[in-house]
Amino acid sequence: NAGVTQTPKFRILKIGQSMTLQCAQDMNHNYMYWYRQDPGMGLKLIYYSVGAGITDKGEVPNGYNVSRSTTEDFPLRLELAAPSQTSVYFCASTNSPRTEAFFGQGTRLTVV
Amino acid sequence: DQQVKQNSPSLSVQEGRISILNCDYTNSMFDYFLWYKKYPAEGPTFLISISSIKDKNEDGRFTVFLNKSAKHLSLHIVPSQPGDSAVYFCAASASNTGKLIFGQGTTLQVKP
């Protein structure tokens, strides 16, 4: 079972560049989430989706965009990368926010 | 505005003793609470959860207590084992919105 797959695992971006972090799940989960983890700051919710075609802002959405055209995929788009977006990004999915969420291995992004 | 707070960044206990990790929340809309465990360079993994209609849930060595009036929950690990050393995240979900919010995490070290 693949579970939640994130690509790439590592990436270095220059200031002002853009990129898309990919997230795919094969568990037919409706709920998907994007988090960033900064040192000592825990996991901050960027965007989430409760089903295909539906997305909503989390705690720290500025500088990011998402789309959910299929149940399986939930890409996170960074436009005009800034050093403040240097972080580890985690994608997660679940059947319900009341049950276990499954996380990907994370994407370590550095903006220089 | 930190809706889920873990005020202790770290905790150190002796093997065999009890570990108590604490978590506070501010949003009354949260109706489910979960604990996750995270090792370095991996995504978080689910540990245990509790519904807001309960005050205790037990699973082996792990017990979660919920004090709804105080908006406080705690995770008890007994007996603690060196393999429990990890970062523990408290999370809260609002099932009416699908939002899943995490705290800052507590690093637990269990000494042999």
Side-chain angles (χ1 to χ4, degrees):
Chain A
N1 285 339
V4 178
T5 303
Q6 289 184 238
T7 55
K9 288 188 169 50
F10 305 93
R11 182 73 186 268
I12 298 174
L13 272 185
K14 293 186 178 178
I15 294 171
Q17 286 185 321
S18 60
M19 77 165 292
T20 299
L21 281 67
Q22 301 291 346
C23 176
Q25 52 93 8
D26 61 0
M27 297 171 282
N28 202 32
H29 287 164
N30 281 326
Y31 295 82
M32 295 189 75
Y33 304 87
W34 273 107
Y35 296 92
R36 59 178 287 174
Q37 185 185 17
D38 301 328
M41 297 300 290
L43 293 163
K44 288 288 190 181
L45 181 63
I46 305 171
Y47 270 96
Y48 67 105
S49 170
V50 301
I54 306 169
T55 62
D56 210 343
K57 295 179 180 179
E59 301 170 281
V60 290
N62 291 344
Y64 307 94
N65 276 302
V66 292
S67 60
R68 186 91 185 273
S69 55
T70 67
T71 299
E72 295 77 19
D73 300 298
F74 191 39
L76 177 71
R77 178 84 178 161
L78 278 73
E79 304 282 2
L80 298 174
S84 60
Q85 293 178 304
T86 294
S87 190
V88 181
Y89 291 83
F90 289 100
C91 178
S93 74
T94 181
N95 263 334
S96 159
R98 298 181 172 197
T99 61
E100 175 183 4
F102 295 85
F103 281 79
Q105 294 289 332
T107 295
R108 184 174 293 275
L109 176 68
T110 302
V111 182
V112 295
Chain B
D1 179 25
Q2 188 76 28
Q3 298 184 61
V4 179
K5 300 178 186 178
Q6 294 177 256
N7 292 317
S8 297
S10 63
L11 175 68
S12 181
V13 300
Q14 209 66 36
E15 181 178 6
R17 297 290 188 104
I18 185 171
S19 296
I20 300 177
L21 295 93
N22 294 302
C23 178
D24 298 294
Y25 62 96
T26 57
N27 193 334
S28 299
M29 296 301 292
F30 291 139
D31 56 357
Y32 232 78
F33 304 91
L34 311 97
W35 286 92
Y36 287 78
K37 181 177 178 180
K38 185 182 181 303
Y39 293 115
E42 295 182 9
T45 55
F46 172 78
L47 200 54
I48 192 170
S49 63
I50 187 167
S51 164
S52 60
I53 63 173
K54 295 188 175 181
D55 55 17
K56 178 183 174 181
N57 188 28
E58 193 171 350
D59 184 2
R61 296 186 296 114
F62 303 91
T63 303
V64 56
F65 295 92
L66 175 64
N67 182 334
K68 200 173 171 182
S69 61
K71 293 190 174 67
H72 176 85
L73 61 153
S74 61
L75 174 68
H76 292 211
I77 306 173
V78 56
S80 302
Q81 299 173 353
D84 295 329
S85 298
V87 178
Y88 288 79
F89 288 101
C90 169
S93 69
S95 53
N96 62 333
T97 63
K99 194 173 280 190
L100 180 61
I101 302 294
F102 282 75
Q104 306 97 309
T106 296
T107 300
L108 173 66
Q109 183 184 24
V110 180
K111 297 180 178 178

